[in-house]
Amino acid sequence: MLKIINWFSKNHFRHISIVIFYYLLVVLPHEEVGQFLAKNLDEPLGRVKYNQLVLFLALLGTIGYVGLIGVGIKRYPSRRTTILAYLLTTLFFIFIAFKFLMVVNVEMIHLVQYGLLTFLLFPLFYNFGTTLFFAILLGGLDEAYQYWVLTPFSTDYYDFNDLIINLLGAALGLILLYANGCQAKPKLNAWYQSPVTIATFLSALI
């Protein structure tokens, strides 16, 4: 995993292109993917079996994810306490989100999408907090696109529920990165030169 992160950091133009392509792939085909899943899985199986299938796949993914975390803990045992504290806290909030925020189980795809997004964003900043900030910001833009552009007449509210799920997915991605040896670099810029400060100012201005 560190080799991939290092490769990204050495190939800036290609890396930024991959980030942009991936983000657009997550955001733009919402309606098409939703219609495809509804036609090929939801309708033929029925909502109950469809939810059960998605939950089964999510459990398999969770087992694989925990396995990767375990590999990281073996390599970096000094990080064990921090990793487990963040992981258990995040899993607890995911359980709460599953019970109260997700209308259908397929919404768990947000966890995967934004977990992968943090994996791509981290080599741009080498800072966990900054990576999390931009993952949340991009998640907010994703929901804004759906609200204002994709379904302006059929959606009555900005979906903050999905924003929370995106945040939890980003947290899973950062935990996995930390567990596998990724290290934040010291901040060299003054606060007013920080990408977080600049992005916050531009967002507020818009």
Side-chain angles (χ1 to χ4, degrees):
M1 188 171 292
L2 281 176
K3 290 181 180 179
I4 298 174
I5 295 296
N6 291 333
W7 181 86
F8 279 141
S9 64
K10 293 176 182 177
N11 296 270
H12 292 293
F13 178 76
R14 191 177 302 175
H15 176 208
I16 292 172
S17 300
I18 291 172
V19 171
I20 294 172
F21 175 77
Y22 174 79
Y23 182 68
L24 293 177
L25 192 62
V26 167
V27 173
L28 296 181
H30 268 293
E31 192 169 2
E32 291 78 8
V33 171
Q35 291 173 353
F36 175 83
L37 293 176
K39 182 178 179 180
N40 294 280
L41 290 176
D42 195 358
E43 293 175 7
L45 293 175
R47 181 56 55 88
V48 174
K49 289 185 178 179
Y50 177 46
N51 277 335
Q52 289 174 345
L53 174 63
V54 173
L55 183 59
F56 174 73
L57 294 175
L59 291 174
L60 288 180
T62 301
I63 292 171
Y65 175 84
V66 171
L68 291 174
I69 292 291
V71 170
I73 288 176
K74 285 185 178 180
R75 290 180 180 173
Y76 305 96
S78 62
R79 298 185 173 193
R80 181 188 295 112
T81 302
T82 304
I83 293 167
L84 291 178
Y86 278 108
L87 179 60
L88 292 175
T89 302
T90 303
L91 291 177
F92 170 76
F93 283 113
I94 289 174
F95 175 77
I96 297 297
F98 175 74
K99 295 293 288 184
F100 298 104
L101 300 183
M102 298 183 191
V103 179
V104 289
N105 290 352
V106 75
E107 291 186 76
M108 286 188 283
I109 193 65
H110 288 263
L111 299 173
V112 178
Q113 291 173 331
Y114 282 83
L116 289 174
L117 181 62
T118 56
F119 184 84
L120 294 174
L121 288 175
F122 184 79
L124 292 175
F125 309 109
Y126 274 95
N127 182 279
F128 292 99
T130 303
T131 301
L132 183 63
F133 171 85
F134 279 98
I136 295 170
L137 180 62
L138 291 173
L141 292 174
D142 182 357
E143 298 307 320
Y145 169 75
Q146 294 178 61
Y147 179 61
W148 283 313
V149 179
L150 194 60
T151 56
F153 302 108
S154 59
T155 301
D156 296 327
Y157 64 96
Y158 182 92
D159 200 343
F160 285 100
N161 291 353
D162 282 357
L163 202 60
I164 294 170
I165 301 169
N166 295 344
L167 167 62
L168 294 171
L172 288 177
L174 291 175
I175 292 167
L176 184 60
L177 288 171
Y178 182 76
N180 284 274
C182 289
Q183 187 70 40
K185 292 182 178 179
K187 296 180 181 179
L188 300 177
N189 296 335
W191 68 269
Y192 52 84
Q193 296 175 318
S194 164
V196 172
T197 302
I198 296 170
T200 301
F201 172 76
L202 291 175
S203 300
L205 189 63
I206 292 171

